[in-house]
Amino acid sequence: MRKVDFTHIDLNLLKLFDALLKERSVTRAGQRLGLSQPAASRGLGRLRLLLNDQLMVRTSQGLELTPRAEALSEPVARLLEDARSIVAPAIFEPSTASGRLTIATTDHMTLLLMPTLLSTLAQLAPGLDLEIPAPSGNNIKLITQGDADLAIGVYDELPSRFHQRLLYDEDLVCLVRRNHPVIDKQLTLENFVSLSHISIIITGYGNNIVDEALSKRGLSRRVTVRLPHFLAAPILVAESDMILSLPRRLAHRIAMSTPVEILELPLKIKNFTPAMIWHERKHNDPAHMWLRKLIAGIVSENK
């Protein structure tokens, strides 16, 4: 096989070759590419030299392809199409997309956002599946390793090369069972700290923000149950005299199906803001951009 120095090959010649195949005319092929007739003729000469073949011969019916040109016509067309797909802007078409979206989040955010997201995906992107992986701390590691497309949670600091989009402001309220004795009283800070509490620590370590706020006042509470699951805690509340502090949106969602009552938290705690986070490598990916916009829209509609 003749060795070819690829670095000296003008790939524009392949575009000319494709145009010649389509037009069967040097003049029309040149016009298709914006070349003059002499420039197109010179290009054909270079192609013949490069491929060591006449490629086209003139007959009484016009230019006719040689067997070598016929054999190359499909591979060259495929190569040019592949090149176009490489340099063209990537396009995401939800209706025909397939694959799996992986969103790392808490059971709390799963309950609030995923039902609407799932129904929307079923309408707009029926070929896409959704996975909520087992949590890993605050899920930043899952994003870093590429094991999740994005994460939803509350983040004070993010590593470099991470992006985030804030979703909404949130505050805390209290849940107690229906007919709890404290309902007939005003829930003051004094009787709040006197009750038995459930504390949710989703990462499994650190302090709950309620304890931190109480500590600043020189107060403390008895935490009878400490657990990492938002959705298990209200069930325990509904069947005991314990009290639970949790996000307002979640509390209202829980109260729709669980025999609990919502009380205002008698303690000033700064609002917090859940956010979507993702790695820089996904930032400009069309499918990822579509997913982020979709989630942001769902949150906006439910504010």
Side-chain angles (χ1 to χ4, degrees):
M1 179 180 292
R2 180 168 63 99
K3 188 174 181 179
V4 177
D5 184 357
F6 192 76
T7 60
H8 291 89
I9 294 177
D10 183 357
L11 296 182
N12 285 318
L13 292 177
L14 297 183
K15 293 170 61 179
L16 175 61
F17 178 72
D18 186 60
L20 288 166
L21 293 178
K22 290 180 171 66
E23 300 292 346
R24 304 298 176 95
S25 163
V26 175
T27 300
R28 291 195 300 273
Q31 290 172 345
R32 176 187 279 261
L33 298 177
L35 299 174
S36 65
Q37 197 279 338
S41 294
R42 289 194 298 271
L44 176 56
R46 294 170 61 196
L47 269 171
R48 286 168 168 165
L49 182 63
L50 173 67
L51 299 174
N52 195 30
D53 189 87
Q54 281 295 98
L55 300 178
M56 294 182 176
V57 294
R58 192 172 298 281
T59 69
S60 57
Q61 284 78 38
L63 291 178
E64 188 173 299
L65 299 180
T66 66
R68 167 82 162 147
E70 291 278 11
L72 289 174
S73 60
E74 189 174 322
V76 168
R78 189 166 56 247
L79 176 64
L80 291 173
E81 184 58 37
D82 289 343
R84 291 188 193 99
S85 67
I86 290 172
V87 299
I91 297 174
F92 175 69
E93 180 51 59
S95 62
T96 58
S98 61
R100 185 178 301 276
L101 303 172
T102 305
I103 300 175
T105 191
T106 61
D107 56 348
H108 155 214
M109 300 303 299
T110 298
L111 176 63
L112 291 181
L113 297 179
M114 296 308 129
T116 305
L117 178 59
L118 278 173
S119 63
T120 305
L121 288 176
Q123 294 176 9
L124 302 181
L128 291 177
D129 300 323
L130 178 64
E131 179 178 352
I132 310 295
S136 176
N138 59 13
N139 294 319
I140 287 178
K141 185 177 180 181
L142 291 179
I143 300 293
T144 302
Q145 294 176 339
D147 294 325
D149 296 307
L150 60 81
I152 302 175
V154 178
Y155 301 92
D156 295 325
E157 295 183 5
L158 291 173
S160 61
R161 303 185 68 187
F162 267 67
H163 297 264
Q164 72 170 334
R165 176 166 182 168
L166 302 179
L167 296 176
Y168 57 87
D169 283 337
E170 183 66 288
D171 64 345
L172 295 180
V173 294
C174 298
L175 277 191
V176 295
R177 66 170 174 83
R178 287 180 188 168
N179 301 317
H180 192 291
V182 80
I183 295 175
D184 294 329
K185 308 174 186 177
Q186 182 181 6
L187 184 59
T188 64
L189 184 57
E190 182 180 3
N191 53 35
F192 174 76
V193 296
S194 70
L195 294 170
S196 295
H197 290 252
I198 298 176
S199 178
I200 301 171
I201 307 291
I202 61 172
T203 60
Y205 58 86
N207 294 319
N208 185 293
I209 58 175
V210 173
D211 295 299
E212 293 175 353
L214 288 173
S215 179
K216 290 178 181 178
R217 291 172 170 260
L219 299 172
S220 63
R221 61 178 179 162
R222 181 190 174 192
V223 174
T224 307
V225 178
R226 177 185 169 105
L227 76 170
H229 309 297
F230 278 97
L231 301 189
I235 306 302
L236 300 179
V237 165
E239 299 182 7
S240 71
D241 284 338
M242 292 185 289
I243 188 169
L244 170 67
S245 303
L246 79 172
R248 184 180 296 272
R249 288 190 180 207
L250 178 60
H252 283 280
R253 179 67 177 80
I254 293 293
M256 294 170 60
S257 57
T258 307
V260 293
E261 296 288 340
I262 300 173
L263 303 174
E264 293 298 320
L265 181 70
L267 180 66
K268 184 65 176 177
I269 294 179
K270 184 180 178 181
N271 287 8
F272 53 95
T273 307
M276 282 187 290
I277 66 167
W278 61 94
H279 196 274
E280 186 177 83
R281 62 175 171 270
K282 292 279 191 177
H283 188 61
N284 294 312
D285 178 77
H288 202 276
M289 294 170 68
W290 178 83
L291 175 61
R292 299 193 311 256
K293 183 177 180 181
L294 186 64
I295 293 173
I298 290 171
V299 170
S300 179
E301 290 177 3
N302 291 299
K303 281 186 177 179

